[in-house]
Every structure is written in C-alpha cells, then in structure tokens.
Amino acid sequence: MTPAGPRKVAAYSAALAGLSLILAACSSGADPAAYPEDDIEVIVPFSAGGPTDTVTRMIAEPMSDDLGVQLVVQNVDGAGGTVGAGQAATADPDGYTVLMHHIGMSTAPALYDDLAYDPIADFKPVGLVTEVPMTIIARSDFEPETFEGAVTYVQENADTVTMAHAGEGSASNLCGLLLTDALGVDLTAVPYDGTGPAMAELVGGQVDFMCDQTTNTTGQITAGEVKAYAVTTPERIEALPDLPTTAEGGEPDIAVTVWHGLYVPVETPDEVVTRLTESLQVALADQTVIDQMADLGTAPVSEDQATPEAHAAKLEEQTATWGDIIGASQGG
C-alpha cells in the first residue's frame, strides 16, 4: 500500500480530533439512562432550620441511599422563596438541581407583580411530599387561655396586637392572612427573615402571636415555650391530641395545610423526572421518615400523590384558589 501523504495524515488527524470533540460533548451532557452520576443540589428557598428545610432533610438521606449519590441541601432564602425558586428555574435542566418548595409556589404569582418565573410553565413537578397542619400560637404569657378567648381578645385589641410571620409569601404570612380575614381585623404584622427568627422573637415575648407549621412549632408547644390555641385542620392531630381545631373554636374558615413538593426545570428529561419520583416514593415509605414526620404532626402523602400528575393538579388548583384569596385581601 502507498503510505498516506502529509495532507491525508493531517486530514485524518483533524477528523479524529473533531470526532473526539463530539464524543466529549456528548459525554459531558446529561445522560438520562445513566442518571444520576453526580451529587444533586436541592434548593430550599428558605432559611436553614425552618419547616421546609426540615422536611427536605428528612427525605434527603433515604433518597441519597436510593439514588447512590448525595442530595446536598442548599438554602437560598429571600423574597418569600422567590429568590431560590428563580435560581432553580434557570438551572441546567439535567436533574442535578432540584427545588423543594411549599404552598408559596402557588401564591407567588398573586403576591409578586415582577415574578421572574412562572411556577407552572417553568417547572416540571416531581411529586408532592407532605401536607403540614398549621398551628395558632402565642407568646407563653399572652393573656387569653383558650382559642375562643384569643379570638375575642384579638378582635377587641386589634390596634395593639402584633402578629409575626416569616416574610411575605411565607406559610405563616398566608395563614395570617386567612386568620385576619376570618376575624375581620387588621393587625400589625411583623415580618422576619425566616421562620427561625420569627419563632425566636415569639418565644422571647417580643411579638404576640403567629400561625405556623407543626414542623416548626410542635417542639416549642410541647416544651411549653409558647402557648398553643388551635390547629388548622378538620381533625385534631396525633402529635398534639389536646390541641383543638379552629372549627371546634367556632372558626371553620381558618383552615389550611402547607403542602410541599419537589420540582425541576421544565426542560428536564422525563426519564430523569421518573427516576426522581421513584426515589421520592422510596423515601416517603421509609419508616424513619414516617416516624420523624409523625413527631412533628404531619405525614408523607400517599404514593398516588407523590407523582408529577397529582402534583401538577395540586399546583394549578392552589394557584387559582390563592389568587382569589390574595386578590381579595389586597382589594383586587
């Protein structure tokens, strides 16, 4: 055979180099069949130690075990969860950035005129995680002893009572809106940068009361650090069996649970979403997770709710519902 000339050798070399670049580019992209190969970042759009952070860390360990990689929680708080959600919306759609968000995902469009993302159009739901009851609590030396007494006291002293919440759009803020609307009062709201600081100020007696998730209040209630008046579910909860419901106290309209779910950017491959959903369902069936949630007054959702379809339906329904409620509270 005639040896290849310099030009042919150069051409072959160039072709091989181009092929190598193509193969390298392909291997660097997300391969749904091989997912996951690296650790997964889970963005929690609220401060560490808060209710959403607590729920996320409960499921992170069993999901990590199932997926064979670590789920690394990253707290990106600010603006009622919209900073972290916005960051997740623009992340690479490869399954390596996941968002854990609560009911605030459905309320943000009504609360923020300049929202940088569309909760429905810019995300794919992975599955619901839990629905957390809310509790109405006060500083330990707040005068009323019963929920009915607290209602009367708040209505008669609305100009002096202060109500803490974890920032606009937070679960505690939303519950507060329902409460003040149901009682027909306009209270002095005191916003904090997260649930942790709000709870610390309540325990310290700097504010009068607030409405927050059992995942953040059960410990303080059982320790006697705060005074508990009611739970916002139709039935009493196992973790706090002596705490009456708002309906028992004559205020059935103060009824809300805070649902949590996992999301990925909308262009994430369906195969990746399916793998994450499968892992979520494994975590929610884990007995340790079940027990941890029970201790905090909540429970994992059923398997048929931990799906993209059920999650998407919940998000759409709640977005419409809260749009009406928030619009009415704002005079819209």
Side-chain angles (χ1 to χ4, degrees):
M1 294 180 62
T2 303
R7 290 183 179 177
K8 288 186 177 181
V9 171
Y12 292 153
S13 298
L16 288 172
L19 179 60
S20 297
L21 288 173
I22 292 172
L23 291 174
C26 290
S27 63
S28 65
D31 179 6
Y35 176 85
E37 297 179 292
D38 297 308
D39 291 346
I40 299 169
E41 179 184 56
V42 183
I43 293 178
V44 174
F46 303 101
S47 59
T52 304
D53 180 71
T54 298
V55 169
T56 305
R57 294 179 190 275
M58 283 182 184
I59 67 169
E61 184 174 347
M63 285 187 70
S64 295
D65 291 342
D66 178 67
L67 292 167
V69 300
Q70 289 297 307
L71 268 67
V72 181
V73 178
Q74 181 70 28
N75 297 95
V76 185
D77 59 344
T82 61
V83 174
Q87 181 174 315
T90 58
D92 290 337
D94 53 12
Y96 292 99
T97 300
V98 177
L99 173 70
M100 170 74 93
H101 209 327
H102 64 28
I103 191 173
M105 196 69 156
S106 64
T107 61
L111 288 169
Y112 300 95
D113 293 332
D114 56 348
L115 196 63
Y117 59 90
D118 185 320
I120 294 175
D122 293 336
F123 290 94
K124 279 184 179 177
V126 172
L128 295 168
V129 177
T130 185
E131 292 204 39
V132 183
M134 305 287 283
T135 51
I136 298 173
I137 59 177
R139 52 182 168 83
S140 60
D141 59 349
F142 199 51
E143 291 83 346
E145 293 298 327
T146 65
F147 178 61
E148 295 90 337
V151 167
T152 300
Y153 183 91
V154 167
Q155 289 174 327
E156 293 178 350
N157 299 275
D159 56 337
T160 61
V161 173
T162 55
M163 178 178 63
H165 66 76
E168 186 176 18
S170 66
S172 51
N173 174 224
L174 298 172
C175 187
L177 289 177
L178 279 181
L179 190 149
T180 54
D181 180 68
L183 301 187
V185 295
D186 185 14
L187 303 179
T188 300
V190 183
Y192 290 89
D193 186 18
T195 304
M199 177 62 77
E201 293 282 277
L202 185 70
V203 171
Q206 281 74 41
V207 287
D208 292 324
F209 78 102
M210 73 174 178
C211 182
D212 204 6
Q213 302 172 65
T214 56
T215 45
N216 190 54
T217 64
T218 301
Q220 285 81 3
I221 292 171
T222 56
E225 295 178 348
V226 296
K227 184 175 289 186
Y229 289 119
V231 63
T232 64
T233 48
E235 306 292 336
R236 296 193 184 195
I237 60 175
E238 186 175 345
L240 299 166
D242 296 329
L243 190 61
T245 68
T246 49
E248 288 179 68
E251 297 293 340
D253 290 339
I254 307 175
V256 62
T257 58
V258 178
W259 51 275
H260 295 73
L262 291 177
Y263 303 81
V264 290
V266 70
E267 296 298 328
T268 303
D270 289 340
E271 299 93 328
V272 170
V273 176
T274 297
R275 183 67 186 96
L276 286 169
T277 299
E278 292 171 349
S279 187
L280 171 62
Q281 293 178 349
V282 168
L284 296 182
D286 184 272
Q287 191 60 48
T288 298
V289 172
I290 294 170
D291 292 343
Q292 288 176 331
M293 287 192 178
D295 288 342
L296 296 176
T298 187
V301 299
S302 60
E303 184 175 321
D304 64 334
Q305 291 298 299
T307 63
E309 296 77 18
H311 190 177
K314 183 79 169 183
L315 177 61
E316 291 185 13
E317 180 269 324
Q318 288 278 282
T319 299
T321 296
W322 281 101
D324 292 340
I325 292 172
I326 294 171
S329 72
Q330 296 174 339

